[in-house]
Amino acid sequence: MKKDFKFEVYLVTDRDLAKGRSLDWVVEEALKGGADIVQLREKDMETAGFMEEARRIKAITDRYGKTLLINDRIDVALAVGADGVHIGQSDMPYHDARRLLGPNAIIGLSVESYAQAREANDLEVDYIAISPVYRTPTKEELTEELGLEGVRKITGISRHKAVGIGSIKAYNAGDVINAGADGVAVVSGICSAEDPQAAARELKQKVEEAKGK
Amino acid sequence: MKKDFKFEVYLVTDRDLAKGRSLDWVVEEALKGGADIVQLREKDMETAGFMEEARRIKAITDRYGKTLLINDRIDVALAVGADGVHIGQSDMPYHDARRLLGPNAIIGLSVESYAQAREANDLEVDYIAISPVYRTPTKEELTEELGLEGVRKITGISRHKAVGIGSIKAYNAGDVINAGADGVAVVSGICSAEDPQAAARELKQKVEEAKGK
């Protein structure tokens, strides 16, 4: 049965933004602070190293009863027994990923436009990530930010759960939720925070406040 | 049942060495010239593009009844239905790859030392690639070439079929076979050849001569 995953504060890892601290530590601090889900993302690491890292991070997410997704690499997700994957528009196509992972895996998809959000309605993805809500230093190649208006339009037509991503911090997290997102995905806002645990806690609080919890 | 793959001339692809010609064309010419097996290798391509390329190349290898292996990416191999994978020492560990691919997939492993060749004797790999036989411009980080003496020592203790790789051309292919290899793996010798078909044919001839065929 598919894991019923929580989704309010979603950590996307980036070792390069962790200011020399170990990713394991950043992840654990984020989970202590209330992050619900971790997407492990490595763009330039060799597979053997990525596997070792994924197994270490999975031991942490398991200990906290949280969800682990792997970015792009279906093989790494299968090998380490992650809960699923996150794929972008240039990663393995959804149908291939689903066939390899099976019906119970969580598969999330990045959508960078209204048109892609409509296309995603034809797919059995488990959530979409609306990207980028705000201009972001971690994705320099993307110049157009969708903004809160983009979040409103996309969540208005999407049948999927949606998380916003792109320069979201505590001060604007509530806006993203009010625009229709179910959660906020955060890279530098947690990975580069002086205190990742406090950053995750503050994000969680802002999301819950916006949801009226 | 595992495919009984031929192994005398083994093409490893490198788009960057193809001098602006399409990889599809280079592969088909190599197969026409007698290459037995193709390892599709992409180090920097996004997964969606790699998948499309792998499907195109598989249509070609299928048409010629030849074997297709994917470098490193077990997920791409599974998704496109390749015959197997080639893994290096920094790729997914053998046991994980075998678990994901099943008993009938071909799994080849690069060995860069006598010690690694001994370790490979404990694995059910289908072949080893002895790398590099000669110093090679495509693997600049490796400074030590194993040479013919290395091929002799490694094939002397390995229980696996072995291919040599690293700056092998028609003029030295016979030496590599005489030193104990079952075949020669070639990157630039085919990909950069003015006439890849003729290059493959000449390599095949040299390998067969050395084997006394």
Side-chain angles (χ1 to χ4, degrees), chain B residues 6 8-9 33-34 36 200-208:
Chain B
K6 285 193 69 177
E8 294 183 342
V9 175
D36 304 298
R201 185 171 292 118
E202 197 180 358
L203 283 159
K204 184 80 167 184
Q205 188 192 330
K206 297 293 183 186
V207 169
E208 296 198 332

Side-chain angles (χ1 to χ4, degrees), chain B residues 20 22 45 55 63 81-82 103-104 110 147 180 203:
Chain B
S22 83
M45 204 179 220
R55 289 196 160 113
R63 202 157 68 238
N104 294 332
S110 293
L203 283 159

